[in-house]
Amino acid sequence: MQEETQTLWTRDFTIITAGSVVSMFGNAMSGFAMSLMVLDYTQSTLLYAVYLAVFTIPQIIMPIVSGAILDRFSRRRTIYTLDFISSALYLLASYVLSKGMFSFPVFAVYVFLIGSIQSIYMVAYQSFYPLLITKGNYARAYSVSSVLETFSMVMVPAATFAYKRVGISPLLAVNAVCFFIAAVMETRIADGYEKYIELQKSTKDEAHKGRMMLRDIREGFSYLKQEKGLMAVAVYFTFSALTYGATSVLTLPWFRSRYNNGEYVFMIVSGMAMVGRAIGGALHYRIRIPKERKFQIAFFVYIATAVLEGIYLYLPAAGGALFCFISGVLGVTSYTIRVSATQAYVPDEKKGRFNGAFNMLNTCGSLAGELTAGWLALYFSSRGVIAGYMFVCMIAAIAIMGRYRKEVSAIYNVEQ
């Protein structure tokens, strides 16, 4: 009876899911096309790394600052307001580029602004999304989120095809429309979910707002320090982000240098990871992992995916695709366990600060990976560099998650 009354697909959960799908599809299409544009214009792996780094840099400061603010203000309004702003910015970029006015320094400033908006949006979305999930449905909700995010990647081959046919400008215009539609949909979400705002008003100090914000920022890190399990998760995923930063810089250029039409080979091989994530996510929507096994499974996945992703570039394309598929199935398993567990564990009034601190640490790791990998690729083979980063990630999993097994298990091994 409880299963029937606590349905996942409430009106508001459906709205935010549909809105996120629209914006994700547009972003996936335009984001990959912009990567191709930068490579075509600059013909430089190093400048490509700079482009990614410029997008990443604002995500160091913005998440922790916005996390503190969003624990006191409406995350719902923040989400749709930022989507409206993003729509306007992509429309402007579409117009400028349609006139052939490309300048890498100006484009870098634009990317920095987009990165700032996206980093604030992610904290707001990650902290608001759990409030719309009914009790007992956290794992199912995040499996849905993962599957939809995976399906948005089908826009990558579409983006490549469209970019080669019509250029970047029309794709950015489509993304502007997607963000506008998403924003309009998100305005329809009902008020009443953000009860944490009333709770936070009791600590509000109108005369010293700056000092209050600094205190809230400190509290985000203080909360992590107090919660050893959450701290272990955050630190390990900083190392995981390091490897992601490295692969995001090196993988696409490596495929383009090794194969004719390498971007298509890249899409096929890496796309198998998306297929694996989609299948794995669909399974997790229907099958519940026994709560006492969640940490054990996640710990295995952290090590196994590091091994698989460290060696797949040394295999023929078919073998690499198979390893990516397996990595995708495993990766969505650990993702569902980790996100549903941490978001269920952290109190609503602290979600913004936790997600802000978590995202900031992840961004630091990703930025370090992007910059150092781009530099190392000047002296070593790209796949050798990636293998080295994956080895570091595997050691981090053993050293951090293994050491704090008891504390992390207390978070993971719970029915959500």
Side-chain angles (χ1 to χ4, degrees), residues 7-10 12-21 24-25 125 129 132-134 137-152 274 277-287 332-333 335-337 339-340:
T7 178
L8 171 64
W9 294 98
T10 61
D12 292 330
F13 180 80
T14 302
I15 289 174
I16 198 168
T17 300
S20 65
V21 167
M24 278 193 296
F25 271 65
Y125 181 86
Y129 184 77
L132 305 184
I133 302 172
T134 50
N137 284 310
Y138 273 81
R140 295 180 71 205
Y142 283 104
S143 68
V144 169
S145 176
S146 177
V147 168
L148 294 177
E149 183 178 342
T150 300
F151 279 141
S152 72
M274 299 298 104
R277 289 181 68 87
I279 293 174
L283 290 174
H284 289 302
Y285 183 80
R286 296 183 174 276
I287 301 172
V332 75
T333 300
Y335 168 85
T336 302
I337 292 172
V339 178
S340 61

Side-chain angles (χ1 to χ4, degrees), residues 119-191:
S119 62
I120 298 171
Y121 177 90
M122 286 306 298
V123 175
Y125 181 86
Q126 290 169 356
S127 305
F128 183 64
Y129 184 77
L131 305 184
L132 305 184
I133 302 172
T134 50
K135 185 177 180 180
N137 284 310
Y138 273 81
R140 295 180 71 205
Y142 283 104
S143 68
V144 169
S145 176
S146 177
V147 168
L148 294 177
E149 183 178 342
T150 300
F151 279 141
S152 72
M153 291 298 103
V154 302
M155 299 309 296
V156 170
T160 304
F161 178 82
Y163 172 74
K164 287 181 175 292
R165 297 299 185 276
V166 302
I168 189 68
S169 180
L171 300 183
L172 296 182
V174 170
N175 199 20
V177 173
C178 289
F179 270 109
F180 183 81
I181 293 172
V184 171
M185 295 176 70
E186 288 156 355
T187 62
R188 308 299 299 170
I189 297 174
D191 289 320

Side-chain angles (χ1 to χ4, degrees), residues 184-337:
V184 171
M185 295 176 70
E186 288 156 355
T187 62
R188 308 299 299 170
I189 297 174
D191 289 320
Y193 291 99
E194 299 174 308
K195 297 181 176 62
Y196 64 88
I197 296 177
E198 293 299 320
L199 179 64
Q200 294 285 41
K201 281 182 179 179
S202 62
T203 63
K204 192 170 183 179
D205 184 353
E206 293 290 346
H208 301 93
K209 289 184 177 180
R211 187 164 59 190
M212 180 182 68
M213 187 181 74
L214 291 174
R215 185 189 65 205
D216 286 348
I217 292 172
R218 288 196 300 269
E219 284 182 3
F221 287 101
S222 296
Y223 180 65
L224 276 181
K225 290 179 182 178
Q226 294 166 10
E227 295 284 348
K228 291 183 179 180
L230 290 177
M231 176 60 85
V233 172
V235 173
Y236 163 70
F237 276 94
T238 302
F239 281 94
S240 179
L242 180 80
T243 63
Y244 174 78
T247 56
S248 67
V249 167
L250 300 181
T251 307
L252 175 58
W254 185 83
F255 274 99
R256 294 191 84 186
S257 66
R258 185 174 178 84
Y259 298 97
N260 292 327
N261 294 315
E263 58 267 32
Y264 292 104
V265 181
F266 166 77
M267 285 186 296
I268 293 171
V269 174
S270 62
M272 289 305 295
M274 299 298 104
V275 174
R277 289 181 68 87
I279 293 174
L283 290 174
H284 289 302
Y285 183 80
R286 296 183 174 276
I287 301 172
R288 290 186 181 273
I289 299 174
K291 64 179 183 180
E292 66 276 5
R293 300 288 302 278
K294 288 183 177 180
F295 173 80
Q296 184 180 357
I297 291 172
F299 185 59
F300 167 77
V301 169
Y302 297 151
I303 297 173
T305 52
V307 173
L308 292 170
E309 293 178 24
I311 62 178
Y312 84 96
L313 291 179
Y314 289 92
L315 303 176
L322 175 62
F323 273 37
C324 283
F325 173 80
I326 297 171
S327 178
V329 174
L330 294 176
V332 75
T333 300
S334 64
Y335 168 85
T336 302
I337 292 172

